[in-house]
């Protein structure tokens, strides 16, 4: 099932008791390992019932970076960003959410993982002091020989078309760093995008 970001800002709200019942028994759930994905897995395990009231809203706020998530979601999101490759943490978060937050003992490792984000935030803040915001609202991050190029999902930018990539999300792509000058030139020469009320066909969330 596919939906645009404008229709559904995150996946959990797309999972309903009716969808789970209609799908029937499943052996394996495959999900993203961010808050949105793990909350989706937990909600499916709970037959389409939110792990806690407001979890769907939290997932939307975190995945779109629009709005303010609850304290519960913020603790989990910070843990996942602090330890983004910890497979054990992913399973623990699903256990916590699928259990309806009933096991308080699971919060300790979550908060320990969240503490790992603090030095990263401090260094990011230090580095960001030399950054400048410039039009037209596109972010380019260079790292390990690659560039991540992103804009708001409703900005109207379509980097797949602009850079003739052939596929991917219109507002978030990765290109070799060697293409930096060409990328900047194409962005600067492109006509101003028209913000869209709904995302482009390729900018869809799978559920």
């Amino acid at each position: 099932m596919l939906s645009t970001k404008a229709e559904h800002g995150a996946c959990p709200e797309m999972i309903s008791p009716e969808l789970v019942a209609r799908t029937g028994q499943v052996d394996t759930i495959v999900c993203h390992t961010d808050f949105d994905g793990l909350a989706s897995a937990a909600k499916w395990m709970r037959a389409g019932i939110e792990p806690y009231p407001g979890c769907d809203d939290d997932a939307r706020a975190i995945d779109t970076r629009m709005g303010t998530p609850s304290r519960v979601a913020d603790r989990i999101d910070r843990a996942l960003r602090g330890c983004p490759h910890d497979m054990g943490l992913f399973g623990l978060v699903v256990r916590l959410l699928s259990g309806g937050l009933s096991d308080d003992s699971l919060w300790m490792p979550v908060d320990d993982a969240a503490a790992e984000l603090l030095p990263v935030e401090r260094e990011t803040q230090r580095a960001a002091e030399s950054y400048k915001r410039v039009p037209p609202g596109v972010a380019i991050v260079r790292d390990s020989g690659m560039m991540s190029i992103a804009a708001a999902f409703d900005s109207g930018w379509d980097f797949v078309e602009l850079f003739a990539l052939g596929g991917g999300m219109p507002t978030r792509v990765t290109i070799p760093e060697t293409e930096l000058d060409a990328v900047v030139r194409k962005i600067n020469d492109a006509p101003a995008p028209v913000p869209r009320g709904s995302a482009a066909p390729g900018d869809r969330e799978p559920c």
Side-chain angles (χ1 to χ4, degrees), residues 173-196:
V173 298
T174 300
I175 295 176
E177 187 179 24
T178 54
E179 300 296 318
L180 176 61
D181 291 342
V183 163
V184 172
R185 184 170 60 253
K186 286 185 177 181
I187 290 175
N188 288 337
D189 292 345
V194 177
R196 53 181 179 262

Side-chain angles (χ1 to χ4, degrees), residues 117-200:
L117 185 62
L118 293 174
V120 176
E121 286 182 320
R122 285 195 293 267
E123 177 58 21
T124 300
Q125 181 62 40
R126 185 200 63 77
E129 291 174 358
S130 62
Y131 290 1
K132 293 189 297 182
R133 287 182 178 268
V134 297
V138 177
I140 301 177
V141 177
R142 302 165 62 182
D143 181 50
S144 302
M146 301 296 289
M147 292 182 295
S148 293
I149 305 164
F153 69 87
D154 58 353
S155 65
W157 282 102
D158 188 337
F159 300 131
V160 173
E161 179 180 353
L162 182 63
F163 304 130
L165 298 179
M169 289 186 65
T171 55
R172 188 171 64 216
V173 298
T174 300
I175 295 176
E177 187 179 24
T178 54
E179 300 296 318
L180 176 61
D181 291 342
V183 163
V184 172
R185 184 170 60 253
K186 286 185 177 181
I187 290 175
N188 288 337
D189 292 345
V194 177
R196 53 181 179 262
S198 61

Side-chain angles (χ1 to χ4, degrees), residues 22-193:
R22 185 170 69 248
T23 302
Q25 182 67 33
V26 298
D27 297 318
T28 303
I29 296 175
V30 179
C31 64
H32 292 161
T33 55
D34 56 4
F35 183 87
D36 170 78
L38 299 180
S40 295
K43 189 177 182 184
W44 195 283
M45 294 167 65
R46 292 170 58 84
I49 304 300
E50 283 184 294
Y52 60 89
C55 184
D56 287 359
D57 292 337
D58 281 343
R60 189 184 316 113
I62 290 172
D63 213 50
T64 62
R65 298 298 170 190
M66 297 172 65
T68 303
S70 70
R71 173 60 179 152
V72 167
D74 185 58
R75 289 168 75 182
I76 295 173
D77 180 51
R78 290 181 62 81
L80 296 171
R81 290 191 289 128
C83 297
H85 307 295
D86 188 336
M87 297 295 291
L89 176 65
F90 305 154
L92 185 148
V93 168
V94 171
R95 283 175 54 200
L96 177 64
L97 292 173
S98 64
L101 308 181
S102 60
D103 188 346
D104 289 340
S105 69
L106 297 177
W107 279 113
M108 183 177 295
V110 167
D111 290 336
D112 287 345
E116 297 291 327
L117 185 62
L118 293 174
V120 176
E121 286 182 320
R122 285 195 293 267
E123 177 58 21
T124 300
Q125 181 62 40
R126 185 200 63 77
E129 291 174 358
S130 62
Y131 290 1
K132 293 189 297 182
R133 287 182 178 268
V134 297
V138 177
I140 301 177
V141 177
R142 302 165 62 182
D143 181 50
S144 302
M146 301 296 289
M147 292 182 295
S148 293
I149 305 164
F153 69 87
D154 58 353
S155 65
W157 282 102
D158 188 337
F159 300 131
V160 173
E161 179 180 353
L162 182 63
F163 304 130
L165 298 179
M169 289 186 65
T171 55
R172 188 171 64 216
V173 298
T174 300
I175 295 176
E177 187 179 24
T178 54
E179 300 296 318
L180 176 61
D181 291 342
V183 163
V184 172
R185 184 170 60 253
K186 286 185 177 181
I187 290 175
N188 288 337
D189 292 345

